Amino acid sequence: MNTLATVLLSALPLAAGWAGHVWWLRSCLNTARRDPLTGLRTRDGFTRRATTLLKDPRAVVVLADVDRFKHINDTYGHAAGDALLKATADRLAHHAGPRGVAGRLGGDEFAAVLLDDHGMAGDMLAVLHSVLARPADGQDPAARTTVSLGWVRAADFPADDLSGLLRRADEAMYAAKQARSGTRRAGLGRLFATLAGRRAGRSGTHATPSAPVVGVAA
């Protein structure tokens, strides 16, 4: 008995050290999946959570892009631009709520998956659009802009995975930006060619005749 107790006691430091190492690894992983400026999930962390949420028939995928962001940076400085990104992230995360997820995909582009309980996503996102247009707290009120939103109901395209739904939301967002309409839902209407989930003409893409085609409508 004494021998067993001795063995167990001697193993405690090793077990404690391993538990601490596992905790440290998890902490590093969680940090890597968070954007340091906004605190939102990065693309990897967002993808993991969003993919789970898409199993819910109420899921709505949203893509948001800050309008005239370069103008804000050039005119008011990078600190103002960072404040605007942080405010956009906070407001989008608040709108997504604890059941949804929001992430920063890069630069001034954000994504979210919301759960629409009452079939009123269009109204919800119209409200979100007006909220995102407010100046960042504590900043020059003139350092403001709008955010174009594209969205799609996952249930409308059951064969699409997250990448496909983001592509559709991206097309809708681009149409909203071009029309200055604020928000746009993916559906039927004008067609845009895309490649690898990005619009033709965007950085890193090259349009080809075989590019998939999606539609957008108000």
Side-chain angles (χ1 to χ4, degrees), residues 24-41:
W24 178 79
L25 287 175
R26 287 179 177 174
S27 178
C28 289
L29 185 59
N30 288 334
T31 299
R33 290 176 179 168
R34 292 283 177 177
D35 173 53
L37 174 63
T38 65
L40 291 186
R41 296 172 190 247

Side-chain angles (χ1 to χ4, degrees), residues 23-208:
W23 178 87
W24 178 79
L25 287 175
R26 287 179 177 174
S27 178
C28 289
L29 185 59
N30 288 334
T31 299
R33 290 176 179 168
R34 292 283 177 177
D35 173 53
L37 174 63
T38 65
L40 291 186
R41 296 172 190 247
T42 57
R43 184 180 293 272
D44 179 59
F46 171 78
T47 297
R48 289 173 180 267
R49 175 61 177 153
T51 299
T52 299
L53 288 173
L54 289 182
K55 297 175 184 177
D56 193 311
R58 300 169 296 173
V60 172
V61 177
V62 182
L63 198 73
D65 191 85
V66 179
D67 300 323
R68 302 187 305 114
F69 182 68
K70 185 177 184 301
H71 169 77
I72 296 295
N73 265 343
D74 291 347
T75 304
Y76 301 98
H78 289 283
D82 287 350
L84 179 61
L85 292 177
K86 184 68 168 61
T88 299
D90 290 345
R91 293 162 182 173
L92 185 60
H94 178 77
H95 212 77
R99 298 185 303 157
V101 64
R104 184 184 182 193
L105 301 186
D108 58 342
E109 187 174 73
F110 300 84
V113 176
L114 317 175
L115 296 183
D116 181 15
D117 292 320
H118 307 292
M120 300 180 64
D123 293 335
M124 291 166 53
L125 293 173
V127 171
L128 175 62
H129 179 260
S130 65
V131 169
L132 293 177
R134 298 173 185 169
D137 294 339
Q139 299 296 311
D140 185 341
R144 60 187 298 175
T145 185
T146 54
V147 177
S148 295
L149 302 173
W151 63 280
V152 57
R153 289 189 186 279
D156 288 347
F157 301 95
D160 281 8
D161 59 7
L162 177 62
S163 178
L165 293 170
L166 282 173
R167 185 190 72 236
R168 295 181 188 276
D170 184 51
E171 296 298 333
M173 182 277 295
Y174 179 70
K177 189 181 289 286
Q178 293 294 99
R180 299 182 180 179
S181 59
T183 67
R184 186 69 66 95
R185 176 180 179 178
L188 301 178
R190 184 181 175 187
L191 301 178
F192 295 92
T194 63
L195 181 62
R198 311 302 294 164
R199 290 186 305 278
R202 286 197 107 180
S203 177
T205 66
H206 303 281
T208 68

